Amino acid sequence: MRRTIKQQAAAVVVALVGSAGIAACSSASGGTPNLTWYINPDGGGSDPTKGGQAQLAKECTAASGGKYTITIQQLPNSASDQRIQLLRRLAAGDASMDLMSMDPVFVAEFAEAGYLAPVPESMQAEFTQDRVQSAIDASKWQGKLVAVPFWANTQLLWYRKSVAAKAGLDMSKPVTWDQLISAAQKTNTKIGVQSSLYEGYMVWINALISGAGGKIVENPGARYDELKLGLDSQAGRDAAKIIQQVASTGVGGPAMGSSTETEALNLFQNTTTSGFLVNWPYTYAALTSAKVPFLNDIGWAMYPQTVAGEQSRPPFGGIELGVGAKSSHQDLAYQAAACISNEKNQTTYMLGTGNPASRKAVFEEANVKKAFPMANLIQESLQQAAPRPQSQYYGDISSGIQQQFSPPSSVNQQTPAKAQEFIVKVLNGKALL
């Protein structure tokens, strides 16, 4: 029988509880309440002066006027490891889970298991005001707001203007993946993609399928035995064809099967391979910091189309703020979340880390437009972005797809059907990941 979400999480606790201690409380008795905020690694790290979440924790502590203090705990680098650590603590009833920076795909799983404290009715309008719709949608489960939109993310197509011109691409118009592959071949350059066996590969696969008009999960929220998957479809085969072509032509680079955001960016930074790249907006700040000699030759455009004439659906990412159901300070945690996600702090965060805001008004700030010449494109892309499947079984779905589509050189027209069959077996307890 298929285990429930809570049973799965409990299994994670049993397996991992010995690897780290579980915090017993989140504030010293009798003192100012301390809120523990589990943050994902960002450009600011643990330094409260670098514009990251650590700085927002310090500033919101000061702004609270003594109502609370915020202490940060840094999560692991990979989204998969972040999920495991958060699940372990949540399933154990850790009272220190006051605030969590959650990848959007964690929201459904955590909410379905009852691990998130209800968002106060009185604050829901504040938490959805001025936000891009994709961030609001990512913060909901079963129609209810269960988390707070913090920052939103999407991928752009980065390119060398000279390379695009040499290949005869008109970058003022939408371009397709087929055009990019052909352009890279003509100019002997590469396309930086993410196709290692990790969540970033799932991001690419989902964007390709969504761009072809398909959905990996057709009935979000359904039980495992009623779940309808859309991998075995024309959209799934369109996506597989693109991955196959990028791999077989060599335009994805010599180590495409182990390429993450970092390797893809390195491929684009290298003057001998630099042509095209799909990556998050931090790319611009990274290239500027690296002082690449061709900075003025870099352009940006909307994410490539899977099917010519069909609107692309760029990846959606970012972070949602969650409050643990067993937190000792739920009301204060939501007040802190309001401070962290206000317009001023989202502006600080975007400028400090390069991670885009979920608030639309931030993109109109003069200093943001100066730091991000592509700010309007980022906002437009966020409005067009496709979220990854919302399902309480997302972890199994994503892992299954990654496995069946790896390595990218093995992908063919049968891969989507095989992946769908495998995932159905996994969900029904007839196969193991």
Side-chain angles (χ1 to χ4, degrees):
M1 181 180 293
R2 173 75 186 182
R3 293 181 297 175
T4 67
I5 296 297
K6 281 192 175 182
Q7 287 171 332
Q8 293 178 69
V12 173
V13 177
V14 171
L16 297 174
V17 72
S19 65
I22 301 297
C25 60
S26 59
S27 62
S29 58
T32 301
N34 180 68
L35 307 178
T36 304
W37 180 11
Y38 290 83
I39 66 172
N40 62 300
D42 59 25
S46 58
D47 190 329
T49 67
K50 298 297 184 182
Q53 291 167 85
Q55 180 170 328
L56 300 192
K58 179 182 178 181
E59 294 188 358
C60 287
T61 293
S64 77
K67 292 173 66 176
Y68 57 77
T69 60
I70 303 176
T71 301
I72 60 165
Q73 291 287 337
Q74 194 152 303
L75 293 165
N77 285 323
S78 79
S80 298
D81 290 340
Q82 290 170 25
R83 170 182 171 270
I84 289 172
Q85 184 173 131
L86 292 174
L87 267 179
R88 184 185 71 234
R89 292 182 175 277
L90 289 167
D94 187 347
S96 79
M97 303 301 288
D98 302 307
L99 285 165
M100 298 169 281
S101 290
M102 304 184 298
D103 189 292
V105 297
F106 301 166
V107 173
E109 182 180 16
F110 291 5
E112 180 69 14
Y115 291 153
L116 300 179
V119 178
E121 289 284 344
S122 61
M123 302 185 78
Q124 293 195 17
E126 179 178 2
F127 289 147
T128 54
Q129 180 183 18
D130 190 43
R131 263 58 167 208
V132 294
Q133 190 60 46
S134 51
I136 296 173
D137 294 342
S139 300
K140 289 184 176 182
W141 178 240
Q142 303 288 30
K144 295 181 179 180
L145 192 73
V146 295
V148 179
F150 176 24
W151 61 274
N153 214 358
T154 187
Q155 288 195 359
L156 306 179
L157 169 61
W158 307 87
Y159 64 93
R160 293 285 297 277
K161 297 174 185 177
S162 58
V163 172
K166 184 178 180 181
L169 283 181
D170 181 356
M171 300 305 294
S172 67
K173 299 178 180 179
V175 297
T176 66
W177 278 99
D178 285 343
Q179 287 177 306
L180 286 186
I181 294 166
S182 177
Q185 287 180 290
K186 288 179 182 177
T187 57
N188 195 30
T189 57
K190 306 300 180 186
I191 306 172
V193 296
Q194 296 82 46
S195 50
S196 184
L197 184 61
Y198 82 123
E199 184 61 24
Y201 194 14
M202 176 64 174
V203 167
W204 186 27
I205 295 167
N206 183 67
L208 292 174
I209 292 175
S210 298
K215 292 182 178 180
I216 291 176
V217 174
E218 296 181 347
N219 56 342
R223 276 172 45 92
Y224 69 92
D225 53 348
E226 299 174 348
L227 203 64
K228 295 181 181 179
L229 300 178
L231 284 164
D232 187 9
S233 63
Q234 186 57 51
R237 290 183 285 275
D238 287 342
K241 180 182 176 183
I242 289 170
I243 295 169
Q244 181 183 31
Q245 288 178 331
V246 173
S248 63
T249 59
V251 300
M256 179 179 164
S258 58
S259 179
T260 68
E261 287 88 350
T262 299
E263 286 77 24
L265 181 59
N266 290 340
L267 202 64
F268 189 69
Q269 285 185 184
N270 189 321
T271 54
T272 62
T273 56
S274 182
F276 306 93
L277 167 72
V278 286
N279 212 340
W280 311 97
Y282 82 90
T283 295
Y284 187 69
L287 293 170
T288 302
S289 297
K291 298 181 180 178
V292 295
F294 50 84
L295 195 61
N296 291 333
D297 190 38
I298 296 173
W300 42 83
M302 183 64 73
Y303 199 81
Q305 294 180 346
T306 304
V307 177
E310 296 290 329
Q311 187 181 68
S312 69
R313 300 298 306 278
F316 173 78
I319 288 293
E320 322 305 319
L321 296 174
V323 174
K326 298 298 183 181
S327 163
S328 301
H329 307 294
Q330 294 178 19
D331 290 343
L332 290 176
Y334 275 114
Q335 291 177 39
C339 175
I340 291 166
S341 62
N342 68 28
E343 184 179 336
K344 174 181 175 292
N345 284 329
Q346 285 204 24
T347 301
T348 296
Y349 192 72
M350 185 168 178
L351 291 172
T353 65
N355 294 322
S358 64
R359 285 183 176 269
K360 301 174 188 176
V362 173
F363 293 92
E364 303 304 319
E365 297 277 351
N367 50 354
V368 170
K369 286 181 175 289
K370 182 179 179 180
F372 297 87
M374 70 299 296
N376 289 339
L377 177 63
I378 295 172
Q379 187 176 2
E380 181 184 352
S381 180
L382 283 170
Q383 298 287 13
Q384 200 168 304
R388 280 160 284 170
Q390 281 192 302
S391 172
Q392 59 270 50
Y393 311 111
Y394 179 81
D396 288 348
I397 294 168
S398 177
S399 295
I401 289 174
Q402 292 171 44
Q403 287 184 22
Q404 295 299 304
F405 276 75
S406 291
S409 58
S410 70
V411 173
N412 55 44
Q413 289 294 281
Q414 287 72 51
T415 302
K418 290 179 179 178
Q420 179 161 313
E421 181 182 6
F422 176 67
I423 292 166
V424 169
K425 288 181 178 179
V426 169
L427 294 176
N428 285 274
K430 297 179 180 179
L432 296 174
L433 287 170

